Amino acid sequence: MIKYIVKRFFLMILTIFIIATLTFFLMNAIPGSPFNEEKTSNAVVQENLEKHFNLDKPLPVQYVLYLKSIVTFDFGPSIKQPTETVNSLLGRGFPISAELGIWTILVALISGITLGVVAALRHNKLIDYTAMTIAVLGISIPNFVLATLVIQVIAVDLKLLPAATWNSPQHMILPIIALATGPMAIIARLTRSSMLETLTQDYIKTARAKGLSPFKIVVKHALRNALMPVVTILGTLLAGILTGTFVIEKIFAIPGMGKYFVQGINQRDYPVIMGTTVFYSTFLVLMLFLVDIMYGVLDPRIKLHKKGGE
C-alpha cells in the first residue's frame, strides 16, 4: 500500500508539471502582447511594462521564472490590476469557490446515495421509476441551463430565494442546486445499479438468514460494497463540479475563483490565467490522489493484490 501511495504521489507531481508546462507555452503561443489594447500608444511605456512583468526576457528564461513562481507559490502581480497580486486574488476567491464546491459535493453525495438506495430497495415500484426519472432529467439538463431555470422560476417568478451574489445561506441554495443536480443524478443511478447487484450476493442472503434487520443488512453489509463504484467516479465528478463552478459563479455573480479566471481570459492577464490554472489543477490532482488512497482503504483487495505481487 505504501509503494502504491508513493507511486501515485510521483505521478501527481508529474501531472502538475505537464499541466503547468502546457499552460505556459499555450499562453505564450497567443499572438501579440497583453498590453496591445492599452489606451497608450507610447512604445516606451509598453516596453517598460513588458520589462516589469519579465515579458521582454527570452522564452526559456520566462519558463524558468514561471516554474520558480509555482514552487515558491508566488505568481506575482496581476497585469490588469497592478495593485493586486495573483495570490491575493486566489486567497479571496478560493474560500468562496471551495465552500460552493464542498456543499455541492455533500448535497450530491447525500441525495444521490439516498435516492439510489431507496430506488434499489423499491425496485420496479413507483418510487424506483420516479427516482430514475429525476436522475435522467438531472443528467440531461446542463447546469447552466438549470441555473437560468431556477433563477427564473424560484427567484424571479416565485420570489422565494435571492437570485445572485454570495451574502447569506439563502444565496447559496440556487447555485448549489444548479451544480449538484447532475452529479446527484449520476450517483443515484450508479448506487441503484450497484446496490441491486450487491443485494443478490451470497453474504447478503446469509445475513438475512441470520435474522439481521433490513436496516443493518443495508447499512452495515450492502452499502459499503455498493459505494465502491461511487468512490471510483468521485474524482471525475469532482473535476466536473470544479470546472462547472466557473460558469455557475458567472451566472450567479459569485465572487469566487471562476470570476477572476474569466476576467483574466477576457483581459489577457497572463499571471492570473496561469496562476488560477495551476492552482486549480494542483487542487484537482491532489483530490484525485486522495480519492485513490480512499479507494485503497475501502477495498482491501487492492492491498492484497499489492502484497501478492511484491
Side-chain angles (χ1 to χ4, degrees), residues 177-194:
I177 290 174
L179 260 181
T181 300
M184 177 272 294
I186 295 172
I187 292 171
R189 286 176 61 87
L190 199 57
T191 302
R192 174 185 176 271
S193 60
S194 181

Side-chain angles (χ1 to χ4, degrees), residues 17 20-21 24 54 57 59-76 87 278:
F17 172 76
T21 300
F24 174 82
N54 296 317
K57 292 182 170 56
L59 196 61
V61 177
Q62 292 184 43
Y63 178 61
V64 172
L65 293 173
Y66 167 67
L67 293 180
K68 181 182 177 182
S69 70
I70 295 175
V71 174
T72 59
F73 197 72
D74 182 8
F75 298 106
N87 288 34
V278 171

Side-chain angles (χ1 to χ4, degrees), residues 262-273:
V262 173
Q263 284 181 353
I265 293 175
N266 292 334
Q267 299 172 348
R268 293 187 64 176
D269 195 335
Y270 291 171
V272 172
I273 296 173

Side-chain angles (χ1 to χ4, degrees), residues 211-236:
L212 294 180
S213 65
F215 179 81
K216 282 188 177 181
I217 292 174
V218 171
V219 174
K220 190 174 180 180
H221 297 281
L223 190 58
R224 176 171 176 173
N225 288 328
L227 290 182
M228 293 305 302
V230 176
V231 175
T232 304
I233 66 161
L234 196 57
T236 305

Side-chain angles (χ1 to χ4, degrees), residues 16 39 42 74 141 151 168 173 195 199 201 258:
I16 294 172
K39 295 181 179 179
N42 192 324
D74 182 8
I141 303 176
I151 288 175
S168 68
I173 296 176
M195 196 72 178
L199 291 174
Q201 299 297 315

Side-chain angles (χ1 to χ4, degrees), residues 5-126:
I5 293 174
V6 171
K7 180 182 178 182
R8 296 300 301 175
F9 176 78
F10 282 108
L11 285 175
M12 178 184 72
I13 299 298
L14 178 61
T15 302
I16 294 172
F17 172 76
I18 293 173
I19 292 173
T21 300
L22 288 174
T23 302
F24 174 82
F25 285 106
L26 286 174
M27 287 303 306
N28 281 276
I30 300 175
S33 165
F35 305 109
N36 286 348
E37 298 180 0
E38 295 292 331
K39 295 181 179 179
T40 178
S41 58
N42 192 324
V44 176
V45 173
Q46 182 169 328
E47 182 180 337
N48 288 334
L49 286 172
E50 291 181 352
K51 184 176 181 180
H52 176 71
F53 290 99
N54 296 317
L55 297 179
D56 62 325
K57 292 182 170 56
L59 196 61
V61 177
Q62 292 184 43
Y63 178 61
V64 172
L65 293 173
Y66 167 67
L67 293 180
K68 181 182 177 182
S69 70
I70 295 175
V71 174
T72 59
F73 197 72
D74 182 8
F75 298 106
S78 165
I79 290 178
K80 299 298 182 178
Q81 304 177 63
T83 58
E84 296 275 10
T85 65
V86 177
N87 288 34
S88 66
L89 296 177
L90 293 176
R92 193 159 58 244
F94 177 69
I96 296 173
S97 296
E99 186 178 14
L100 174 60
I102 289 170
W103 278 111
T104 299
I105 293 169
L106 288 176
V107 170
L109 282 173
I110 294 172
S111 57
I113 291 172
T114 302
L115 204 61
V117 170
V118 171
L121 295 177
R122 297 291 182 270
H123 185 45
N124 288 335
K125 302 288 179 60
L126 177 61

